[in-house]
Amino acid sequence: MINEKNGVFTLSSTNTTYIFQANKNEQLEHLYYGSHLNEASINAKLLSTKYMQNAGTSTLYEEDSELNLGLMKQEVSTPGKGDFREPFAKISYNGGMTTLDFVFDSYEIVSAKAKTFYALPESYGSREEADTLRVTLKDKELDIKLIITYGVFSLCDVITRKAELFNYAKKNITIERLSSLQLDIDQDDFDLITFDGAWARERHINKRALTPGIVINDSKLGASSATHNPLIYISEKGCSEFSGKCYATNLIYSGNHKEVVEVTPYNQTRILTGINDSTFKWILHPNERFSTPEAIMSYSDKGFSSISRNFHYFANNNIVRGYWKNKERPVLVNSWEAFYFDFDDTQVVKLAKKAKEIGAELFVLDDGWFGDRNDDTSSLGDWQVNTSKLSEGLGNISSKIHKMNMLFGIWVEPEMISKNSNLYDKHPDWAIIIPGRKPSVGRNQFILDLSRDDVISYLEEALSNIFLLGEVDYVKWDFNRVFSDFYSSNAEISNMGEFLHRYYLGLYKLLDRLTRKFPKILFESCASGGNRYDLGMLSFMPQNWTSDCTDVYERLFIQEGTSFGYPLSAMTNHVSASPNHQTLRVSDIESRFNVAAIGNLGYEIDLNTISGNELEQVKEQIIFYKRYRKTLQFGTLARIDKMSTNKERAVWAVMNNDKSEIIVLDFRTRTISNPPLERLQIPIVDNEAFYEVFNRAQKFDLSVFGDLIYHFLPSNLLKGKAVEEISKIMQLNSEITHHRVYGEFLSKAGLILNQEYGGTGFVNEVTRVLGDYGSRLYVLKKLEI
Ligand code: DGJ
């Protein structure tokens, strides 16, 4: 809900209130963002910055000798008038002047939230879900206007913000910086949490205390990046998953971003987020407008899990659109780690048959099916089938898979071009290479210049042909290098400071066209795993390949960090081989499944080479997954115990809306000798409800006991055989946990789990055999009382 009264704007969601006012000089003064306040209790005067006796070096506002803009909380800060903090906007005009003074002009309130600028992805919401406020500001001297648009999503406590600049002056102006969001807070004792990493270890949680000064979280890679995701949290000391005050922001954008967090000497904190100005400079000609990407923010006094729940809801309902919105996603088998580049029709069909046998619903042919591609040195751009591998053609392979009653998906990397390709021979100027300079290379490839309309038209046609020919149901859209050598041969770009943003406008245009043309295709975004994991891509592609690392332990850090900003439905996780290809770590296939099941499940493993026992286990896993899929994909995750915090145990609970179904992952890093009893406490259940609690039945090979098995074999016949041989014949069942208890008991007392194997005895179906990197899934179902 949005209200305006005497120049005071109140934006209310279910649990939060955001207030600002046009002050007596008509500047937008931020007043409050925090726990919900009833309209009647709001006293704007008391929230407003007290004009104080100004210190020696203060710069006072010309028309109000008491006003020090450097102390006032603002919605839109600019340089030149006394606010020396990092500015929201920096615009140069008349040979480099940057002083601006934006003041209130007008406003409008609209119910629902619709797009106002079509070139960038944006959140959306119906009348029941959202309201929009547009505040127009004008500079006091220069003929330019700034519109700030706020979206208020009541149900999930999310507020969105973006800015649009209009140049009505007769001369060009240069936008050096135009942020999407500014949030000034009257407090400085915060921690800052960022989500950082690199290839195969994306979005690890990093927390540090803020002290006076400026911290920047950004990407200059040309993608939102695995280095620093645009998502940030700031939290009061002691804030935990379930209690304490915290704020978080994110950006609906896939290019270079920058989050600035500044703590001032006056105990204030300023947060800015938007396009990274270090690779940006935009000339705005007379009568043109520029729109920033949209940013989002949320506040909670109930800890991190509460904000991530808000973000999960928001992404599922107000970002993801189209056919796959809130629709259960298929269990897939992907060919990459089974074949890499080395396959032919026979092998593909053989793997697809196994995929069908285990219960998969989608078969995905990854890299290597096109051009002359047998490794990563060639063919990107040549989107025609490689008939020396797939002699039957794509259409035939696809129809065989469809006849098996499975969906068919393929991998593409449309934004790239290999030097060794027909496309490069024809259009060398389409590659981003500075003429006369030796370019830097990534994975032997170059990026196509998507700021050019001819490139976009080529890709639209080439991809449409493939999607039609292959009757494609799913597309994995990869992006495997980042930007260097910023340059465009596009004659329309004279200022290279505009290039990267124009590239993203081009990419979004292409995605918009393709997703409209093929509304039923399930698109999955990928960038060497999660190098472009952001709300911009999610606006077109409802899911994202979380990481190239599928290691059971490393994944916990990655998925845990990712869950702070992105829903489970967006997170794709695959069960892969052991030893794992990225870490060489050995782990149990049941535990690999347990971790991969928290989100969208897939298998990326040669199903023809795994053991018969494992194949049976996989079938059972998929049956289990399908039964609880709705919750596992669209439930929200509460991180009861974080691997990132204690490194030894992760306990995550995924719950549906009314908490009638909850799936709990309990993962343990190392097993210890003579282990103490362990308790499983689940504080997020409905305390009033009565729950049935049971664990997923897992199997394990006798070989985990090594030669100890000779001491308790059931039959003398087996005693002469090697451990591996016996394991092929026999598997054991995990312990059985089955209780009926009140929610209050689970949340306050917790369950004492079955005793773990401790070196002195084993009772079948009683002793908990976990091993290193072992885990269990528990199911909680509400019962009628
Ligand atoms: C990087 C992706 O993240 C992998 O899953 C795989 O698709 C390869 N690219 C293929 O080249």
Side-chain angles (χ1 to χ4, degrees):
M1 187 155 54
I2 301 172
N3 268 324
E4 185 278 337
K5 207 169 157 194
N6 303 328
V8 178
F9 295 86
T10 307
L11 285 55
S12 313
S13 69
T14 311
N15 300 297
T16 69
T17 300
Y18 184 103
I19 312 171
F20 64 91
Q21 69 172 354
N23 71 4
K24 61 178 172 172
N25 306 304
E26 302 289 9
Q27 288 130 344
L28 289 196
E29 179 181 11
H30 177 78
L31 296 178
Y32 175 85
Y33 186 29
S35 304
H36 187 267
L37 293 174
N38 287 322
E39 288 274 331
S41 76
I42 296 172
N43 185 330
K45 215 164 173 194
L46 293 180
L47 287 168
S48 168
T49 308
K50 298 284 161 300
Y51 295 172
M52 46 155 101
Q53 158 207 343
N54 282 298
T57 53
S58 304
T59 305
L60 303 177
Y61 190 61
E62 62 220 355
E63 288 162 24
D64 181 347
S65 60
E66 285 186 306
L67 173 58
N68 178 346
L69 283 173
L71 297 178
M72 189 177 91
K73 298 199 292 299
Q74 303 189 50
E75 290 291 299
V76 167
S77 60
T78 47
K81 292 299 211 192
D83 183 356
F84 300 100
R85 293 167 286 184
E86 281 290 309
F88 172 81
K90 189 173 166 205
I91 291 152
S92 61
Y93 58 96
N94 284 356
M97 286 166 65
T98 55
T99 294
L100 285 175
D101 192 3
F102 280 115
V103 289
F104 180 78
D105 182 42
S106 60
Y107 77 92
E108 76 175 316
I109 295 173
V110 188
S111 77
K113 167 83 176 33
K115 261 192 175 192
T116 50
F117 183 73
Y118 287 86
L120 284 166
E122 239 178 65
S123 63
Y124 66 97
S126 65
R127 283 163 181 272
E128 290 71 39
E129 291 172 302
D131 296 293
T132 308
L133 165 66
R134 282 161 66 79
V135 180
T136 304
L137 304 169
K138 58 177 188 237
D139 181 61
K140 279 188 156 171
E141 304 297 331
L142 207 58
D143 202 1
I144 59 175
K145 283 195 173 170
L146 185 66
I147 297 187
I148 306 292
T149 304
Y150 300 81
V152 181
F153 291 80
S154 194
L155 289 176
C156 54
D157 294 322
V158 167
I159 295 178
T160 64
R161 249 192 82 154
K162 69 167 191 172
E164 284 162 286
L165 189 67
F166 295 76
N167 183 8
Y168 299 116
K170 301 236 157 7
K171 286 188 181 164
N172 292 349
I173 57 172
T174 304
I175 308 173
E176 316 261 357
R177 173 190 290 181
L178 188 58
S179 312
S180 301
L181 174 147
Q182 168 171 346
L183 178 60
D184 284 357
I185 308 170
D186 254 341
Q187 202 178 331
D188 67 344
D189 51 343
F190 289 121
D191 288 323
L192 168 68
I193 302 175
T194 55
F195 302 87
D196 316 292
W199 174 73
R201 50 183 166 83
E202 298 91 338
R203 292 172 298 286
H204 282 223
I205 301 167
N206 282 310
K207 181 168 158 180
R208 81 284 277 151
L210 285 173
T211 51
I214 296 168
V215 184
I216 291 171
N217 177 73
D218 80 348
S219 167
K220 296 186 268 296
L221 286 83
S224 49
S225 94
T227 317
H228 307 293
N229 195 270
L231 170 74
I232 61 168
Y233 276 59
I234 69 165
S235 56
E236 272 190 1
K237 301 284 170 210
C239 179
S240 71
E241 284 295 333
F242 304 112
S243 68
K245 293 181 182 169
C246 49
Y247 302 81
T249 70
N250 203 348
L251 194 64
I252 308 176
Y253 192 56
S254 313
N256 285 345
H257 61 90
K258 179 170 177 176
E259 291 68 48
V260 178
V261 184
E262 177 168 6
V263 174
T264 76
Y266 294 97
N267 300 355
Q268 291 177 327
T269 304
R270 167 166 294 173
I271 303 172
L272 301 171
T273 179
I275 293 178
N276 194 334
D277 52 0
S278 68
T279 47
F280 173 86
K281 193 180 277 240
W282 193 278
I283 314 277
L284 200 64
H285 303 100
N287 295 319
E288 282 183 353
R289 77 162 160 181
F290 178 84
S291 174
T292 69
E294 190 172 45
I296 69 168
M297 59 185 147
S298 189
Y299 165 83
S300 175
D301 55 14
K302 297 196 174 51
F304 307 126
S305 278
S306 170
I307 289 200
S308 56
R309 189 176 63 233
N310 296 343
F311 283 167
H312 294 180
Y313 181 95
F314 177 75
N316 278 330
N317 294 288
N318 308 107
I319 291 286
V320 171
R321 61 202 75 218
Y323 180 77
W324 287 97
K325 175 177 173 176
N326 286 322
K327 210 180 180 83
E328 290 183 31
R329 311 291 162 73
V331 175
L332 66 81
V333 166
N334 176 296
S335 66
W336 180 240
E337 289 196 4
F339 300 148
Y340 291 104
F341 292 102
D342 189 13
F343 57 84
D344 59 23
D345 324 56
T346 322
Q347 284 164 294
V348 170
V349 172
K350 204 169 154 206
L351 184 61
K353 278 187 181 150
K354 270 277 182 300
K356 181 68 197 169
E357 187 188 326
I358 61 168
E361 298 150 315
L362 163 64
F363 180 82
V364 181
L365 187 55
D366 210 281
D367 198 352
W369 61 267
F370 57 93
D372 196 15
R373 184 128 162 126
N374 298 309
D375 54 33
D376 62 16
T377 59
S378 84
S379 304
L380 293 169
D382 298 346
W383 299 110
Q384 295 87 29
V385 72
N386 178 342
T387 43
S388 57
K389 284 187 191 173
L390 301 178
S391 57
E392 298 183 25
L394 200 63
N396 275 329
I397 290 281
S398 158
S399 86
K400 280 193 176 158
I401 286 159
H402 283 138
K403 278 194 190 119
M404 293 179 209
N405 207 10
M406 275 194 300
L407 301 172
F408 174 64
I410 49 164
W411 177 97
V412 286
E413 196 178 1
E415 296 160 75
M416 298 292 162
I417 180 165
S418 308
K419 252 193 175 169
N420 184 3
S421 68
N422 297 330
L423 188 68
Y424 189 83
D425 293 344
K426 252 172 111 180
H427 296 291
D429 57 326
W430 284 8
I432 298 174
I433 296 177
I434 304 175
R437 259 185 201 269
K438 236 178 173 299
S440 301
V441 191
R443 210 192 189 204
N444 306 302
Q445 64 198 49
F446 296 94
I447 305 182
L448 279 170
D449 185 350
L450 265 68
S451 74
R452 296 175 59 134
D453 277 338
D454 47 1
V455 174
I456 290 177
S457 302
Y458 165 76
L459 287 175
E460 186 185 348
E461 195 185 324
L463 294 168
S464 300
N465 288 342
I466 284 298
F467 298 167
L468 289 170
L469 178 76
E471 293 184 67
V472 167
D473 305 295
Y474 159 103
V475 170
K476 178 173 171 189
W477 183 294
D478 210 343
F479 174 86
N480 281 307
R481 68 157 291 180
V482 294
F483 285 76
S484 61
D485 302 271
F486 280 63
Y487 168 79
S488 172
S489 58
N490 185 348
E492 284 166 28
I493 301 184
S494 53
N495 159 30
M496 288 305 151
E498 295 179 9
F499 165 58
L500 189 69
H501 185 59
R502 288 198 185 275
Y503 177 94
Y504 275 98
L505 294 178
L507 173 64
Y508 293 143
K509 190 195 286 181
L510 175 63
L511 294 178
D512 190 45
R513 286 189 196 165
L514 288 170
T515 49
R516 279 175 203 278
K517 217 164 166 178
F518 299 96
K520 286 200 173 167
I521 290 185
L522 174 58
F523 283 91
E524 177 164 325
S525 170
C526 170
S528 303
N531 200 29
R532 203 166 55 180
Y533 204 110
D534 56 69
L535 296 171
M537 295 311 285
L538 209 59
S539 303
F540 300 98
M541 308 198 182
Q543 53 191 53
N544 208 315
W545 179 222
T546 312
S547 174
D548 271 359
C549 181
T550 47
D551 176 87
V552 69
Y553 175 63
E554 284 298 319
R555 267 289 177 143
L556 292 167
F557 295 89
I558 297 168
Q559 291 174 215
E560 211 163 70
T562 307
S563 74
F564 272 72
Y566 305 93
L568 297 176
S569 66
M571 246 188 264
T572 54
N573 312 317
H574 296 175
V575 174
S576 62
S578 172
N580 174 269
H581 291 195
Q582 292 77 42
T583 59
L584 303 183
R585 196 189 316 277
V586 173
S587 65
D588 169 31
I589 197 156
E590 298 283 31
S591 201
R592 273 174 271 152
F593 164 76
N594 292 344
V595 174
I598 309 296
N600 296 335
L601 176 68
Y603 288 79
E604 192 168 330
I605 186 169
D606 191 347
L607 295 166
N608 287 298
T609 59
I610 65 173
S611 72
N613 283 343
E614 283 184 329
L615 205 66
E616 292 312 309
Q617 284 170 286
V618 165
K619 288 180 192 167
E620 290 301 319
Q621 292 171 355
I622 294 180
I623 292 171
F624 174 91
Y625 182 79
K626 287 178 179 167
R627 189 171 304 143
Y628 300 105
R629 163 162 46 190
K630 184 90 196 162
T631 299
L632 289 166
Q633 294 182 348
F634 294 96
T636 52
L637 182 81
R639 299 162 296 260
I640 295 169
D641 246 330
K642 285 202 290 289
M643 190 50 86
S644 347
T645 315
N646 64 41
K647 309 280 186 283
E648 288 298 337
R649 189 179 185 193
V651 179
W652 302 346
V654 186
M655 54 199 154
N656 64 359
N657 262 350
D658 61 358
K659 299 186 177 180
S660 58
E661 185 171 281
I662 302 175
I663 316 292
V664 178
L665 167 74
D666 186 4
F667 184 101
R668 253 254 318 279
T669 307
R670 286 176 309 142
T671 195
I672 54 173
S673 54
N674 186 15
L677 288 174
E678 260 183 330
R679 188 187 294 273
L680 183 65
Q681 208 168 330
I682 310 168
I684 50 80
V685 293
D686 177 353
N687 277 352
E688 309 299 312
F690 194 52
Y691 284 96
E692 179 175 19
V693 184
F694 54 94
N695 58 340
R696 180 178 81 82
Q698 294 184 196
K699 299 254 185 218
F700 60 99
D701 281 2
L702 272 176
S703 59
V704 302
F705 290 109
D707 66 5
L708 268 177
I709 65 168
Y710 300 125
H711 302 283
F712 61 85
L713 276 178
S715 149
N716 280 338
L717 280 176
L718 293 171
K719 288 206 165 159
K721 301 205 177 185
V723 173
E724 283 71 28
E725 285 304 303
I726 299 166
S727 261
K728 281 185 200 157
I729 314 167
M730 284 182 67
Q731 277 200 307
L732 291 173
N733 293 321
S734 59
E735 80 289 354
I736 295 169
T737 302
H738 203 150
H739 306 286
R740 291 195 154 112
V741 278
Y742 276 102
E744 186 181 38
F745 184 85
L746 286 168
S747 79
K748 295 183 182 164
L751 295 177
I752 294 184
L753 298 174
N754 283 26
Q755 189 162 13
E756 202 187 332
Y757 177 78
T760 51
F762 168 78
V763 183
N764 197 18
E765 298 189 340
V766 174
T767 309
R768 203 157 47 102
V769 178
L770 271 182
D772 290 348
Y773 313 109
S775 62
R776 293 288 183 269
L777 287 179
Y778 295 91
V779 178
L780 278 61
K781 295 281 274 175
K782 251 188 205 179
L783 295 171
E784 296 289 324
I785 305 182

